[in-house]
Amino acid sequence: SLAPALSSDFGSGDEAALARFRLERASNFFAVTSQEDYEILLRSAAEAGRVLVVDYYAPWCRACQKLLSQLHKVALEDRFRDVFFASVNFEQNRELCKQKEIKKLPTLEIYQGEDLKQQWSGSSKKRLIERLEQEMGIEGEGGDSEEEKVAEASQRTA
């Protein structure tokens, strides 16, 4: 049962709502289906002191589907078990995506509390993990060579 985990992390008002859109596979992964879901999740993550990763995707987008599959696996990793992950289907949430100014898919956001810290487009799992580790203040496990780091740095400035 997910009830004990929920009651220890959240105020009672949002527990039932969170349980409604929490995905069974991973207790820290949520499928956002409305503006209300989004607001509840953002508020709950902030109250619980959790980092929140939001993935905006579309069912017809192959890069989105690949990233979403990888995101589910990342959510299960021990080092990210305290992070909340959410997926937002563009087709079901056009108004929310418009408000958030989502112009490309997939787009990812990382929140600390209710503050948007990072937003970017692209399907790179490596970039997601690097940015997530940066927000969490943990050192990456990736043994990138200096050439890879220089190449990535030049891509960022381009």
Side-chain angles (χ1 to χ4, degrees):
S1 167
L2 298 173
L6 280 173
S7 59
S8 64
D9 287 348
F10 308 113
S12 59
D14 292 334
E15 285 178 39
L18 275 176
R20 181 171 46 82
F21 59 96
R22 182 187 294 266
L23 295 180
E24 290 294 320
R25 273 183 74 176
S27 60
N28 61 335
F29 209 109
F30 301 85
V32 172
T33 59
S34 68
Q35 175 80 31
E36 181 187 16
D37 287 355
Y38 174 82
E39 290 168 4
I40 289 169
L41 185 57
L42 190 59
R43 185 171 60 244
S44 299
E47 288 171 5
R50 306 275 186 107
V51 171
L52 170 64
V53 175
V54 182
D55 174 29
Y56 298 87
Y57 75 98
W60 41 260
C61 166
R62 289 180 71 171
C64 298
Q65 293 301 320
K66 182 179 177 197
L67 181 64
L68 189 58
S69 171
Q70 293 172 333
L71 210 56
H72 280 280
K73 292 174 185 150
V74 169
L76 294 170
E77 291 182 25
D78 277 349
R79 63 190 167 145
F80 301 127
R81 72 179 172 276
D82 291 332
V83 174
F84 281 177
F85 292 87
S87 58
V88 178
N89 182 333
F90 173 81
E91 294 295 340
Q92 295 174 344
N93 297 280
R94 286 181 183 258
E95 197 54 44
L96 174 62
C97 291
K98 188 177 176 183
Q99 287 175 6
K100 304 294 296 168
E101 299 182 8
I102 304 302
K103 306 237 187 290
K104 293 181 179 177
L105 295 171
T107 291
L108 290 144
E109 295 177 332
I110 299 178
Y111 290 86
Q112 289 266 12
E114 292 191 33
D115 300 326
L116 175 61
K117 294 295 188 179
Q118 300 196 41
Q119 182 187 57
W120 73 97
S121 297
S123 58
S124 168
K125 176 184 169 187
K126 181 180 174 199
R127 184 188 301 171
L128 164 66
I129 289 176
E130 285 172 354
R131 290 179 177 214
L132 184 52
E133 288 172 339
Q134 177 186 349
E135 290 303 325
M136 295 174 69
I138 59 178
E139 288 299 313
E141 294 178 6
D144 290 349
S145 69
E146 281 305 309
E147 297 86 39
E148 289 177 81
K149 289 178 184 172
V150 169
E152 179 131 329
S154 63
Q155 285 178 345
R156 267 195 296 256
T157 56

